[in-house]
Amino acid sequence: MPLSIAFVNLKPGVGKTTSAVWLAHALHESGYSPLLVDGDPASSALRWSELADGFPFPVIALPVGDVHRRVNDFLGNRQAVVLDAPQLEDHPRIARSIMRYASTWIVPVTPAPIELDRMAPIHSEMDDVQSLRPEPARTAVLLNRTNRPDATRTGPDADAREALTEWGFVVLDTQIARLELYAQSFGSPVRAKGSAYMDLADELIKRQEEA
């Protein structure tokens, strides 16, 4: 089965599109042949690919409520699908459809109190969609825009990791630092080698193999 990974959250501005684009490039550079599905009506991932004169893999826009029925029409023999979901609070039908398709759901979260406060309703949304699936999706939190480039395990980042774990979330080992490399990358070509997203790709591939 191909990897199928969706980035989801209640709200915009948490790094879903950036993470989806960078992860797709990391998978490509790891030898996988990904498909990037832009499910956001804003079409940010698709626009990014246009501004960058194309990505080395296909990007399709599917901001529709039956994504889970349509993705495989574009998959072919590709080994991975990365899905950029719109915010659940504004586009629940599309986001839930993406979650019905993807076998792994990644929730990007900044280690800040206002972001952590939104995790309870996200948990509720995920439980609702799990009930619609033939088998449960694997879920995990990606700590994003962490406070120090070395992916610190102390201070606010460690506190966030501990709190999320206590609330029942699986938190990925990989963290994405708050760097201009990612924040200013929209519209530019991406080279994932040496970035945290290569570590993320490796971690997700290993999780898939273990499952």
Side-chain angles (χ1 to χ4, degrees), residues 6-9 104-111 115-116 119 122-123 126 138-144 160-161 163-165 167-176 200 203-204 207:
F7 288 89
V8 300
N9 204 304
T104 298
W105 304 341
I106 305 297
V107 184
V109 176
T110 301
E115 299 293 339
L116 297 176
M119 294 306 292
I122 289 173
H123 217 320
M126 291 195 298
R138 293 183 295 277
T139 66
V141 170
L142 173 67
L143 286 178
N144 189 32
R161 179 178 291 275
L164 289 163
T165 301
W167 297 339
F169 290 97
V170 173
V171 183
L172 294 169
D173 291 333
T174 305
Q175 295 184 185
I176 309 299
L200 178 61
E203 183 172 357
L204 294 175
R207 283 165 55 92

Side-chain angles (χ1 to χ4, degrees), residues 10 21-22 81 91 99 106 125 140 144 146 150 168 180 188 208:
L10 282 178
V21 168
W22 275 82
V81 186
H91 304 284
M99 294 166 72
I106 305 297
E125 287 280 356
N144 189 32
T146 55
D150 58 351
E180 293 300 301
S188 301
Q208 171 89 348

